[in-house]
Amino acid sequence: FLKKGLCHTFVNQWDEALSCFDKVMLQREQYPMVHLLRGTTFICLRNWPEAIKSFTKSIEIGKDVCRSWVLRARCHAAQGEDGEAVK
């Protein structure tokens, strides 16, 4: 379902992508990449709070997923939370 979710993101089918990523999470919740991909999908929907939650979960699971750190900071900045963005 991970690859299927990615395919949905390539054609802007955000709800379908999230559904696929949720299915992956049911099997492998401790997989940081699925949380990174969910967060990226939420960015495309401009849903900053959900994106931040997904990136935070990705960071908690795999602290070396540097892309999650960067994207979470950008989401905070997009909401005008500059103090949170630099943490």
Side-chain angles (χ1 to χ4, degrees):
F1 284 102
L2 190 66
K3 289 180 183 179
K4 187 175 180 180
L6 281 170
C7 290
H8 285 299
T9 64
F10 295 146
V11 292
N12 301 335
Q13 296 175 341
W14 311 121
D15 291 334
E16 292 87 347
L18 288 170
S19 176
C20 288
F21 298 145
D22 288 345
K23 288 176 184 173
V24 174
M25 284 178 38
L26 290 174
Q27 298 170 356
R28 298 188 62 191
E29 185 179 358
Q30 297 301 311
Y31 184 48
M33 187 58 67
V34 72
H35 297 284
L36 171 64
L37 293 170
R38 285 183 87 246
T40 303
T41 304
F42 283 123
I43 284 177
C44 295
L45 294 168
R46 301 181 67 86
N47 186 338
W48 313 123
E50 288 300 318
I52 290 168
K53 287 180 193 175
S54 292
F55 295 133
T56 299
K57 184 68 174 175
S58 176
I59 292 165
E60 288 171 357
I61 296 167
K63 295 198 182 295
D64 58 340
V65 183
C66 58
R67 190 77 180 143
S68 292
W69 289 92
V70 172
L71 291 174
R72 184 176 70 172
R74 288 186 178 175
C75 290
H76 280 299
Q79 296 184 114
E81 300 171 346
D82 296 336
E84 289 295 316
V86 296
K87 283 186 178 180

